[in-house]
Short mmCIF file of all heavy atoms in Angstrom, two decimals:
data_model
loop_
_atom_site.label_atom_id
_atom_site.label_comp_id
_atom_site.label_asym_id
_atom_site.label_seq_id
_atom_site.Cartn_x
_atom_site.Cartn_y
_atom_site.Cartn_z
N HIS A 14 -2.75 -6.85 4.68
CA HIS A 14 -2.99 -7.97 5.58
C HIS A 14 -4.22 -7.71 6.44
O HIS A 14 -5.03 -8.60 6.68
CB HIS A 14 -1.78 -8.22 6.48
CG HIS A 14 -0.60 -8.74 5.74
ND1 HIS A 14 0.65 -8.77 6.29
CD2 HIS A 14 -0.45 -9.26 4.49
CE1 HIS A 14 1.51 -9.27 5.43
NE2 HIS A 14 0.87 -9.57 4.32
N ALA A 17 -7.30 -8.28 4.40
CA ALA A 17 -7.54 -9.71 4.19
C ALA A 17 -8.11 -10.34 5.46
O ALA A 17 -9.04 -11.16 5.39
CB ALA A 17 -6.25 -10.42 3.80
N CYS A 18 -7.60 -9.95 6.61
CA CYS A 18 -8.14 -10.47 7.88
C CYS A 18 -9.58 -10.04 8.07
O CYS A 18 -10.42 -10.84 8.50
CB CYS A 18 -7.29 -9.99 9.05
SG CYS A 18 -5.65 -10.72 9.13
N GLY A 21 -11.81 -12.10 5.86
CA GLY A 21 -12.00 -13.43 6.42
C GLY A 21 -12.99 -13.41 7.57
O GLY A 21 -13.84 -14.31 7.71
N ALA A 22 -12.92 -12.38 8.41
CA ALA A 22 -13.86 -12.26 9.53
C ALA A 22 -15.28 -12.08 9.02
O ALA A 22 -16.22 -12.68 9.56
CB ALA A 22 -13.46 -11.09 10.43
N LEU A 25 -16.60 -15.44 7.87
CA LEU A 25 -16.97 -16.30 9.00
C LEU A 25 -18.26 -15.82 9.65
O LEU A 25 -19.09 -16.64 10.07
CB LEU A 25 -15.84 -16.33 10.04
CG LEU A 25 -14.61 -17.11 9.64
CD1 LEU A 25 -13.49 -16.89 10.64
CD2 LEU A 25 -14.92 -18.59 9.53
N ALA A 34 -13.14 -17.36 15.80
CA ALA A 34 -12.17 -17.11 14.73
C ALA A 34 -12.39 -15.74 14.11
O ALA A 34 -11.42 -15.04 13.80
CB ALA A 34 -12.25 -18.19 13.66
N ALA A 35 -13.64 -15.33 13.94
CA ALA A 35 -13.91 -14.01 13.38
C ALA A 35 -13.38 -12.92 14.31
O ALA A 35 -12.79 -11.93 13.86
CB ALA A 35 -15.41 -13.83 13.14
N LEU A 37 -10.86 -13.23 16.39
CA LEU A 37 -9.40 -13.24 16.29
C LEU A 37 -8.91 -12.58 15.01
O LEU A 37 -7.90 -11.88 15.02
CB LEU A 37 -8.89 -14.69 16.36
CG LEU A 37 -9.01 -15.36 17.72
CD1 LEU A 37 -8.70 -16.83 17.61
CD2 LEU A 37 -8.08 -14.69 18.71
N LEU A 38 -9.62 -12.79 13.91
CA LEU A 38 -9.25 -12.14 12.66
C LEU A 38 -9.33 -10.62 12.80
O LEU A 38 -8.46 -9.90 12.34
CB LEU A 38 -10.18 -12.60 11.53
CG LEU A 38 -9.87 -13.94 10.89
CD1 LEU A 38 -11.03 -14.37 10.01
CD2 LEU A 38 -8.60 -13.89 10.10
N LEU A 41 -6.42 -9.37 14.90
CA LEU A 41 -5.19 -9.35 14.12
C LEU A 41 -5.20 -8.20 13.12
O LEU A 41 -4.19 -7.53 12.92
CB LEU A 41 -5.00 -10.68 13.40
CG LEU A 41 -3.70 -10.81 12.61
CD1 LEU A 41 -2.49 -10.66 13.53
CD2 LEU A 41 -3.65 -12.13 11.90
N LYS A 64 9.19 -14.59 3.24
CA LYS A 64 8.12 -14.88 4.19
C LYS A 64 6.99 -13.88 4.08
O LYS A 64 5.81 -14.24 4.10
CB LYS A 64 8.68 -14.89 5.62
CG LYS A 64 7.68 -15.31 6.67
CD LYS A 64 8.28 -15.26 8.06
CE LYS A 64 8.88 -16.59 8.37
NZ LYS A 64 9.28 -16.74 9.77
N ILE A 67 5.02 -14.64 0.84
CA ILE A 67 4.18 -15.83 0.97
C ILE A 67 2.96 -15.50 1.83
O ILE A 67 1.84 -15.90 1.52
CB ILE A 67 4.98 -17.02 1.55
CG1 ILE A 67 6.04 -17.46 0.55
CG2 ILE A 67 4.05 -18.19 1.89
CD1 ILE A 67 7.04 -18.46 1.11
N THR A 68 3.18 -14.75 2.91
CA THR A 68 2.07 -14.34 3.78
C THR A 68 1.08 -13.50 3.00
O THR A 68 -0.14 -13.72 3.07
CB THR A 68 2.60 -13.56 4.99
OG1 THR A 68 3.51 -14.37 5.72
CG2 THR A 68 1.47 -13.12 5.90
N ARG A 69 1.57 -12.54 2.22
CA ARG A 69 0.71 -11.67 1.44
C ARG A 69 -0.11 -12.49 0.43
O ARG A 69 -1.31 -12.30 0.31
CB ARG A 69 1.54 -10.62 0.70
CG ARG A 69 0.72 -9.64 -0.11
CD ARG A 69 1.60 -8.68 -0.89
NE ARG A 69 2.41 -9.33 -1.90
CZ ARG A 69 1.96 -9.71 -3.09
NH1 ARG A 69 0.70 -9.52 -3.42
NH2 ARG A 69 2.77 -10.29 -3.96
N LYS A 70 0.55 -13.40 -0.25
CA LYS A 70 -0.15 -14.23 -1.24
C LYS A 70 -1.20 -15.12 -0.57
O LYS A 70 -2.30 -15.29 -1.09
CB LYS A 70 0.84 -15.11 -2.01
CG LYS A 70 1.76 -14.35 -2.91
CD LYS A 70 1.06 -14.01 -4.19
CE LYS A 70 2.07 -13.47 -5.19
NZ LYS A 70 1.46 -13.21 -6.47
N ALA A 71 -0.86 -15.71 0.59
CA ALA A 71 -1.80 -16.58 1.28
C ALA A 71 -3.03 -15.81 1.73
O ALA A 71 -4.17 -16.26 1.53
CB ALA A 71 -1.12 -17.25 2.48
N LEU A 72 -2.83 -14.65 2.34
CA LEU A 72 -3.96 -13.86 2.80
C LEU A 72 -4.77 -13.33 1.63
O LEU A 72 -5.99 -13.24 1.70
CB LEU A 72 -3.49 -12.72 3.70
CG LEU A 72 -2.89 -13.16 5.04
CD1 LEU A 72 -2.37 -11.95 5.81
CD2 LEU A 72 -3.90 -13.93 5.86
N GLY A 73 -4.09 -13.02 0.54
CA GLY A 73 -4.80 -12.60 -0.67
C GLY A 73 -5.66 -13.72 -1.24
O GLY A 73 -6.78 -13.49 -1.69
N ALA A 74 -5.14 -14.95 -1.17
CA ALA A 74 -5.91 -16.10 -1.66
C ALA A 74 -7.13 -16.35 -0.78
O ALA A 74 -8.21 -16.68 -1.28
CB ALA A 74 -5.02 -17.34 -1.71
N VAL A 75 -6.97 -16.18 0.53
CA VAL A 75 -8.12 -16.34 1.44
C VAL A 75 -9.16 -15.26 1.14
O VAL A 75 -10.36 -15.56 1.05
CB VAL A 75 -7.67 -16.27 2.92
CG1 VAL A 75 -8.87 -16.18 3.86
CG2 VAL A 75 -6.82 -17.48 3.28
N ALA A 76 -8.72 -14.02 0.96
CA ALA A 76 -9.65 -12.94 0.65
C ALA A 76 -10.34 -13.17 -0.69
O ALA A 76 -11.54 -12.92 -0.82
CB ALA A 76 -8.91 -11.59 0.63
N ALA A 78 -10.95 -16.14 -2.11
CA ALA A 78 -11.91 -17.22 -1.92
C ALA A 78 -13.16 -16.71 -1.21
O ALA A 78 -14.29 -17.07 -1.57
CB ALA A 78 -11.28 -18.36 -1.13
N LEU A 92 -15.41 -23.12 0.03
CA LEU A 92 -14.62 -22.15 0.77
C LEU A 92 -13.73 -22.85 1.78
O LEU A 92 -12.55 -22.53 1.92
CB LEU A 92 -15.53 -21.13 1.46
CG LEU A 92 -14.84 -20.04 2.27
CD1 LEU A 92 -13.91 -19.20 1.40
CD2 LEU A 92 -15.87 -19.15 2.95
N TRP A 93 -14.28 -23.84 2.47
CA TRP A 93 -13.49 -24.60 3.43
C TRP A 93 -12.34 -25.32 2.72
O TRP A 93 -11.20 -25.30 3.20
CB TRP A 93 -14.34 -25.62 4.19
CG TRP A 93 -13.47 -26.52 5.01
CD1 TRP A 93 -12.86 -26.21 6.20
CD2 TRP A 93 -13.05 -27.85 4.69
NE1 TRP A 93 -12.10 -27.27 6.63
CE2 TRP A 93 -12.21 -28.28 5.73
CE3 TRP A 93 -13.33 -28.70 3.64
CZ2 TRP A 93 -11.63 -29.55 5.73
CZ3 TRP A 93 -12.75 -29.96 3.65
CH2 TRP A 93 -11.91 -30.38 4.68
N VAL A 94 -12.61 -25.95 1.60
CA VAL A 94 -11.56 -26.67 0.87
C VAL A 94 -10.45 -25.70 0.46
O VAL A 94 -9.27 -26.01 0.56
CB VAL A 94 -12.15 -27.41 -0.36
CG1 VAL A 94 -11.06 -27.91 -1.27
CG2 VAL A 94 -13.04 -28.56 0.09
N ALA A 95 -10.83 -24.50 0.00
CA ALA A 95 -9.83 -23.51 -0.41
C ALA A 95 -8.96 -23.09 0.77
O ALA A 95 -7.73 -23.06 0.68
CB ALA A 95 -10.52 -22.30 -1.03
N VAL A 96 -9.59 -22.77 1.90
CA VAL A 96 -8.83 -22.33 3.08
C VAL A 96 -7.99 -23.49 3.62
O VAL A 96 -6.85 -23.29 4.05
CB VAL A 96 -9.77 -21.74 4.16
CG1 VAL A 96 -9.02 -21.44 5.44
CG2 VAL A 96 -10.43 -20.47 3.64
N ASP A 97 -8.52 -24.70 3.56
CA ASP A 97 -7.77 -25.89 3.99
C ASP A 97 -6.51 -26.06 3.13
O ASP A 97 -5.42 -26.30 3.65
CB ASP A 97 -8.66 -27.13 3.90
CG ASP A 97 -7.96 -28.38 4.38
OD1 ASP A 97 -7.41 -28.36 5.50
OD2 ASP A 97 -7.98 -29.39 3.64
N ALA A 98 -6.65 -25.92 1.83
CA ALA A 98 -5.51 -26.06 0.92
C ALA A 98 -4.48 -24.96 1.16
O ALA A 98 -3.27 -25.22 1.16
CB ALA A 98 -5.98 -26.03 -0.53
N ILE A 99 -4.95 -23.74 1.39
CA ILE A 99 -4.04 -22.63 1.66
C ILE A 99 -3.27 -22.90 2.95
O ILE A 99 -2.05 -22.73 3.01
CB ILE A 99 -4.80 -21.29 1.73
CG1 ILE A 99 -5.35 -20.94 0.35
CG2 ILE A 99 -3.91 -20.17 2.27
CD1 ILE A 99 -6.42 -19.87 0.36
N HIS A 100 -3.99 -23.36 3.98
CA HIS A 100 -3.33 -23.67 5.25
C HIS A 100 -2.26 -24.74 5.07
O HIS A 100 -1.13 -24.60 5.55
CB HIS A 100 -4.35 -24.11 6.30
CG HIS A 100 -3.70 -24.59 7.56
ND1 HIS A 100 -3.44 -25.91 7.79
CD2 HIS A 100 -3.23 -23.91 8.64
CE1 HIS A 100 -2.84 -26.04 8.96
NE2 HIS A 100 -2.71 -24.83 9.49
N ASP A 101 -2.62 -25.82 4.39
CA ASP A 101 -1.66 -26.91 4.19
C ASP A 101 -0.44 -26.45 3.39
O ASP A 101 0.67 -26.92 3.62
CB ASP A 101 -2.33 -28.08 3.47
CG ASP A 101 -3.32 -28.83 4.36
OD1 ASP A 101 -3.30 -28.62 5.60
OD2 ASP A 101 -4.11 -29.62 3.82
N THR A 102 -0.64 -25.54 2.47
CA THR A 102 0.45 -25.07 1.62
C THR A 102 1.42 -24.16 2.37
O THR A 102 2.64 -24.30 2.22
CB THR A 102 -0.12 -24.31 0.40
OG1 THR A 102 -1.01 -25.18 -0.31
CG2 THR A 102 0.99 -23.85 -0.52
N VAL A 103 0.91 -23.25 3.18
CA VAL A 103 1.78 -22.24 3.80
C VAL A 103 2.19 -22.56 5.23
O VAL A 103 3.03 -21.87 5.79
CB VAL A 103 1.15 -20.83 3.74
CG1 VAL A 103 0.90 -20.42 2.31
CG2 VAL A 103 -0.11 -20.75 4.57
N SER A 104 1.63 -23.60 5.81
CA SER A 104 1.96 -23.95 7.19
C SER A 104 3.47 -24.19 7.31
O SER A 104 4.05 -24.96 6.57
CB SER A 104 1.19 -25.20 7.60
OG SER A 104 1.45 -25.51 8.95
N GLY A 105 4.09 -23.49 8.23
CA GLY A 105 5.52 -23.60 8.44
C GLY A 105 6.35 -22.64 7.60
O GLY A 105 7.54 -22.50 7.83
N LEU A 106 5.74 -21.99 6.64
CA LEU A 106 6.47 -21.05 5.78
C LEU A 106 6.22 -19.60 6.16
O LEU A 106 6.97 -18.72 5.76
CB LEU A 106 6.07 -21.25 4.31
CG LEU A 106 6.34 -22.62 3.72
CD1 LEU A 106 5.79 -22.70 2.31
CD2 LEU A 106 7.82 -22.93 3.74
N ILE A 107 5.13 -19.35 6.89
CA ILE A 107 4.80 -17.99 7.29
C ILE A 107 4.84 -17.89 8.80
O ILE A 107 5.05 -18.87 9.50
CB ILE A 107 3.42 -17.56 6.73
CG1 ILE A 107 2.29 -18.44 7.28
CG2 ILE A 107 3.43 -17.60 5.21
CD1 ILE A 107 0.90 -18.00 6.83
N ASP A 108 4.63 -16.69 9.31
CA ASP A 108 4.67 -16.47 10.76
C ASP A 108 3.68 -17.39 11.47
O ASP A 108 2.57 -17.62 10.97
CB ASP A 108 4.31 -15.02 11.10
CG ASP A 108 5.40 -14.06 10.69
OD1 ASP A 108 6.58 -14.43 10.80
OD2 ASP A 108 5.07 -12.94 10.26
N PRO A 109 4.05 -17.91 12.64
CA PRO A 109 3.15 -18.80 13.38
C PRO A 109 1.80 -18.16 13.71
O PRO A 109 0.78 -18.84 13.69
CB PRO A 109 3.93 -19.10 14.67
CG PRO A 109 5.36 -18.89 14.31
CD PRO A 109 5.37 -17.80 13.28
N ASP A 110 1.77 -16.84 13.96
CA ASP A 110 0.50 -16.16 14.24
C ASP A 110 -0.44 -16.25 13.05
O ASP A 110 -1.64 -16.50 13.19
CB ASP A 110 0.72 -14.69 14.58
CG ASP A 110 1.32 -14.48 15.95
OD1 ASP A 110 1.32 -15.44 16.74
OD2 ASP A 110 1.77 -13.36 16.23
N MET A 111 0.10 -16.04 11.85
CA MET A 111 -0.72 -16.09 10.64
C MET A 111 -1.15 -17.52 10.35
O MET A 111 -2.27 -17.76 9.91
CB MET A 111 0.06 -15.54 9.45
CG MET A 111 0.39 -14.08 9.62
SD MET A 111 -1.10 -13.10 9.83
CE MET A 111 -0.81 -11.86 8.64
N THR A 112 -0.26 -18.48 10.58
CA THR A 112 -0.61 -19.89 10.39
C THR A 112 -1.75 -20.27 11.32
O THR A 112 -2.72 -20.92 10.89
CB THR A 112 0.60 -20.80 10.65
OG1 THR A 112 1.66 -20.43 9.77
CG2 THR A 112 0.25 -22.26 10.42
N LEU A 113 -1.66 -19.85 12.57
CA LEU A 113 -2.71 -20.15 13.55
C LEU A 113 -4.02 -19.48 13.15
O LEU A 113 -5.10 -20.08 13.27
CB LEU A 113 -2.29 -19.69 14.94
CG LEU A 113 -3.25 -19.99 16.09
CD1 LEU A 113 -3.46 -21.50 16.22
CD2 LEU A 113 -2.71 -19.43 17.38
N LEU A 114 -3.94 -18.28 12.66
CA LEU A 114 -5.13 -17.55 12.21
C LEU A 114 -5.84 -18.31 11.09
O LEU A 114 -7.05 -18.54 11.14
CB LEU A 114 -4.71 -16.16 11.73
CG LEU A 114 -5.81 -15.30 11.17
CD1 LEU A 114 -6.65 -14.76 12.31
CD2 LEU A 114 -5.22 -14.18 10.37
N ILE A 115 -5.08 -18.74 10.08
CA ILE A 115 -5.67 -19.49 8.97
C ILE A 115 -6.20 -20.83 9.46
O ILE A 115 -7.26 -21.28 9.03
CB ILE A 115 -4.66 -19.64 7.82
CG1 ILE A 115 -4.34 -18.27 7.22
CG2 ILE A 115 -5.19 -20.57 6.74
CD1 ILE A 115 -3.21 -18.28 6.20
N TYR A 116 -5.48 -21.46 10.38
CA TYR A 116 -5.93 -22.74 10.93
C TYR A 116 -7.27 -22.59 11.65
O TYR A 116 -8.18 -23.40 11.46
CB TYR A 116 -4.89 -23.31 11.89
CG TYR A 116 -5.35 -24.56 12.58
CD1 TYR A 116 -5.33 -25.78 11.92
CD2 TYR A 116 -5.83 -24.53 13.89
CE1 TYR A 116 -5.77 -26.94 12.54
CE2 TYR A 116 -6.27 -25.68 14.51
CZ TYR A 116 -6.24 -26.88 13.84
OH TYR A 116 -6.69 -28.02 14.46
N ARG A 117 -7.39 -21.56 12.46
CA ARG A 117 -8.65 -21.35 13.19
C ARG A 117 -9.81 -21.06 12.25
O ARG A 117 -10.92 -21.55 12.45
CB ARG A 117 -8.49 -20.24 14.22
CG ARG A 117 -7.66 -20.67 15.39
CD ARG A 117 -7.53 -19.59 16.42
NE ARG A 117 -6.79 -20.07 17.58
CZ ARG A 117 -6.22 -19.27 18.46
NH1 ARG A 117 -6.34 -17.97 18.35
NH2 ARG A 117 -5.56 -19.78 19.47
N ALA A 118 -9.55 -20.27 11.22
CA ALA A 118 -10.58 -19.99 10.22
C ALA A 118 -10.97 -21.30 9.53
O ALA A 118 -12.16 -21.56 9.30
CB ALA A 118 -10.08 -18.97 9.21
N ARG A 119 -9.99 -22.12 9.22
CA ARG A 119 -10.22 -23.42 8.58
C ARG A 119 -11.11 -24.30 9.46
O ARG A 119 -12.06 -24.93 8.99
CB ARG A 119 -8.87 -24.09 8.35
CG ARG A 119 -8.92 -25.51 7.89
CD ARG A 119 -7.47 -26.05 7.89
NE ARG A 119 -7.44 -27.46 7.66
CZ ARG A 119 -7.44 -28.39 8.62
NH1 ARG A 119 -7.47 -28.03 9.88
NH2 ARG A 119 -7.40 -29.66 8.32
N GLN A 120 -10.83 -24.33 10.76
CA GLN A 120 -11.61 -25.15 11.69
C GLN A 120 -13.05 -24.65 11.79
O GLN A 120 -13.99 -25.44 11.83
CB GLN A 120 -10.96 -25.19 13.06
CG GLN A 120 -9.65 -25.95 13.10
CD GLN A 120 -9.80 -27.38 12.60
OE1 GLN A 120 -9.44 -27.69 11.47
NE2 GLN A 120 -10.33 -28.24 13.42
N GLU A 121 -13.22 -23.32 11.86
CA GLU A 121 -14.57 -22.76 11.93
C GLU A 121 -15.34 -23.08 10.67
O GLU A 121 -16.53 -23.46 10.72
CB GLU A 121 -14.51 -21.23 12.12
CG GLU A 121 -14.09 -20.79 13.49
CD GLU A 121 -15.16 -21.04 14.54
OE1 GLU A 121 -16.36 -21.01 14.22
OE2 GLU A 121 -14.77 -21.24 15.70
N LEU A 122 -14.70 -22.94 9.51
CA LEU A 122 -15.37 -23.25 8.25
C LEU A 122 -15.72 -24.72 8.15
O LEU A 122 -16.76 -25.08 7.65
CB LEU A 122 -14.49 -22.82 7.07
CG LEU A 122 -14.34 -21.31 6.88
CD1 LEU A 122 -13.24 -21.02 5.89
CD2 LEU A 122 -15.64 -20.69 6.45
N LYS A 123 -14.83 -25.56 8.65
CA LYS A 123 -15.07 -27.02 8.58
C LYS A 123 -16.30 -27.40 9.38
O LYS A 123 -17.10 -28.22 8.95
CB LYS A 123 -13.85 -27.77 9.13
CG LYS A 123 -13.97 -29.27 9.03
CD LYS A 123 -12.73 -29.94 9.54
CE LYS A 123 -12.85 -31.45 9.43
NZ LYS A 123 -11.63 -32.11 9.91
#
Side-chain angles (χ1 to χ4, degrees):
H14 292 166
C18 290
L25 288 171
L37 289 170
L38 279 168
L41 184 60
K64 185 181 269 190
I67 294 170
T68 301
R69 182 184 65 79
K70 292 280 190 176
L72 293 176
V75 170
L92 180 60
W93 172 76
V94 169
V96 173
D97 183 51
I99 293 164
H100 173 265
D101 288 346
T102 303
V103 300
S104 183
L106 300 176
I107 62 176
D108 289 324
D110 287 347
M111 296 302 230
T112 302
L113 183 61
L114 177 76
I115 294 172
Y116 174 78
R117 287 182 177 161
R119 171 187 171 268
Q120 291 304 102
E121 286 289 330
L122 290 168
K123 183 178 181 179

